[in-house]
Amino acid sequence: MKKNKSAILLVALSMVAALLGGCSGNGTSSETGTAVGSKASKNQTVEPLGQTFFIFDTVVNVKIYDNRATSKNFEELDALMQEIDGRISRTAEGSEIYQVNANSGVAPVKVSEETYDLVSTALDYAKRTDGRFDPAIGNLVTLWNIGHEGAHVPAVEDIAIAQALCDYTKIDMNADKHEIFLQEKGMAIDLGSIGKGYAADRIYDYLAEQGFNSAIIDLGGNVYAMGKKPNGNLWTIGIQDPDQERGNPIGNIKVEDKTVVTSGIYERFFIEDGKLYQHIINPKTGYPVDNGISSVTIVTNRSTDADALSTTLFVLGIEEGLAFIENTPDTEALFISKDKKLYATSGFKELLTKTNDDYVFAN
């Protein structure tokens, strides 16, 4: 059994259907409210204008709650996402990251300021975690190929070779020239643990520049709740039950202008010889993380950080992860273990309205 691209699409489309139906899954519990915008009547009901895209190897759903929104906005969002994917994709020939990887051990590659800054952010997390979060993990990601057809447990010697090339300290950054150089031939950067969050932030910024202040941005579970609902209420975001299909929460939180990002073993995985191998790989071992955690949810202000943090905490584990997050300002976290225990920061405990009694707090 495995989850491939088609399966991801079907699951994500089910989640989108739940959102459109007003259910409390990884999305909002209400889709209507009073209109926003200077030309709208305060008593006028707003129906969200939304569109679904498939990009970044996931389903992206954007809904704008503003009567001024038009199809042109979604055309521009599509172009924006295509531009991002065309810069940071590891596999798209011609992308900036593809070129950096292709020139590993050969020559530095000049990239855009945006790509340079994103790699710099990833390296900051690598330094803070002593390499447990490592953007130089590309070879291991390619080797395991989790979430795609043919995923299987690689040979031990192949894992060792790929892991030896996973070393963020061998990524040279030239800030003056915006150049990136991978010191060792065959090294590869992969931004999959931070890219969707970065894209969510760029979408948010675009919407803000257009004067919109109420929207839901959902990139396959990376949710950015922009502003408040049009009626002034907070957004209700469901926290997914890791043991159930999408749309079955263990509870929900109410947020305003926050991003909520979850990394879970249910997202992409395969099963071989009765063992589940999920997609988050520990660069220190070369193997998918298997530490009793089912999911990690982050609530913070920017989705780039939330995306990186959800992966970071998954690798760090519960005890070290909670200690790490307590030193991260304006950020809350929730761990769900395989034995249905909840471990959370004090702020997340206050946010969470639990609806499933099978899950209990253990800290």
Side-chain angles (χ1 to χ4, degrees):
M1 176 182 177
K2 57 183 175 290
K3 277 206 172 182
N4 55 28
K5 189 171 183 179
S6 298
I8 294 171
L9 178 60
L10 288 172
V11 171
L13 285 174
S14 298
M15 179 181 67
V16 171
L19 287 170
L20 292 173
C23 298
S24 179
N26 271 342
T28 61
S29 62
S30 175
E31 301 297 335
T32 60
T34 55
V36 295
S38 58
K39 295 182 180 179
S41 165
K42 290 185 178 180
N43 296 320
Q44 184 179 355
T45 298
V46 166
E47 293 295 336
L49 186 63
Q51 189 164 326
T52 300
F53 311 85
F54 189 84
I55 193 170
F56 313 124
D57 207 23
T58 194
V59 172
V60 176
N61 190 49
V62 181
K63 285 185 281 187
I64 306 171
Y65 292 74
D66 192 312
N67 287 335
R68 296 168 297 169
T70 68
S71 59
K72 183 174 183 293
N73 296 121
F74 292 97
E75 292 171 4
E76 292 175 348
L77 283 174
D78 185 35
L80 172 64
M81 288 186 283
Q82 295 293 340
E83 181 268 330
I84 293 169
D85 196 45
R87 286 191 293 103
I88 69 172
S89 170
R90 173 179 52 87
T91 57
E93 291 190 26
S95 80
E96 293 179 342
I97 293 301
Y98 185 95
Q99 292 300 319
V100 169
N101 294 343
N103 284 277
S104 61
V106 178
V109 173
K110 183 178 179 60
V111 299
S112 62
E113 182 178 359
E114 293 85 356
T115 298
Y116 185 91
D117 289 345
L118 184 60
V119 175
S120 296
T121 299
L123 285 173
D124 285 340
Y125 278 101
K127 293 170 186 174
R128 288 180 62 191
T129 62
D130 190 29
R132 263 81 66 86
F133 179 97
D134 194 333
I137 201 170
N139 285 284
L140 285 170
V141 173
T142 299
L143 181 65
W144 282 90
N145 200 33
I146 299 174
H148 301 278
E149 290 288 349
H152 64 280
V153 179
V156 173
E157 55 269 25
D158 291 337
I159 294 174
I161 292 170
Q163 187 189 8
L165 292 168
C166 180
D167 186 352
Y168 75 94
T169 66
K170 295 181 179 179
I171 301 176
D172 291 339
M173 306 289 288
N174 186 322
D176 292 333
K177 296 182 179 180
H178 288 148
E179 289 180 344
I180 303 175
F181 176 58
L182 307 183
Q183 295 178 11
E184 194 165 342
K185 184 69 175 176
M187 285 182 66
I189 290 175
D190 179 87
L191 298 175
S193 295
I194 198 170
K196 285 199 298 181
Y198 168 72
D201 286 339
R202 290 290 307 278
I203 293 170
Y204 179 103
D205 293 342
Y206 165 84
L207 295 177
E209 289 165 3
Q210 303 306 306
F212 303 132
N213 54 29
S214 183
I216 286 289
I217 305 160
D218 188 339
L219 288 85
N222 289 44
V223 178
Y224 208 143
M226 183 181 198
K228 294 182 180 179
K229 294 181 185 179
N231 60 13
N233 292 337
L234 302 181
W235 299 105
T236 301
I237 308 295
I239 305 301
Q240 175 65 33
D241 184 336
D243 290 341
Q244 300 294 327
E245 292 294 323
R246 289 280 190 183
N248 291 282
I250 66 149
N252 59 72
I253 60 176
K254 293 184 181 297
V255 297
E256 171 189 355
D257 216 41
K258 294 285 185 180
T259 184
V260 183
V261 174
T262 298
S263 290
I265 62 174
Y266 54 85
E267 292 177 314
R268 285 179 286 147
F269 64 87
F270 69 91
I271 296 175
E272 183 171 312
D273 296 331
K275 180 176 175 59
L276 184 148
Y277 296 88
Q278 53 82 30
H279 72 290
I280 299 175
I281 299 172
N282 185 343
K284 296 292 189 180
T285 67
Y287 285 80
V289 176
D290 183 12
N291 58 4
I293 296 173
S294 286
S295 69
V296 177
T297 299
I298 302 293
V299 179
T300 192
N301 297 325
R302 294 294 281 177
S303 200
T304 302
D305 293 314
D307 204 4
L309 284 168
S310 64
T311 300
T312 294
L313 267 60
F314 211 109
V315 177
L316 289 177
I318 294 169
E319 184 176 352
E320 195 173 351
L322 284 173
F324 184 92
I325 211 70
E326 291 293 355
N327 293 318
T328 305
D330 302 318
T331 305
E332 305 297 342
L334 171 72
F335 293 82
I336 301 180
S337 67
K338 291 180 180 178
D339 59 356
K340 299 190 175 184
K341 298 292 194 304
L342 306 178
Y343 301 82
T345 57
S346 57
F348 206 110
K349 288 181 180 179
E350 294 177 3
L351 285 173
L352 183 65
T353 299
K354 196 160 61 71
T355 57
N356 187 333
D357 291 336
D358 290 340
Y359 290 85
V360 295
F361 280 105
N363 75 324

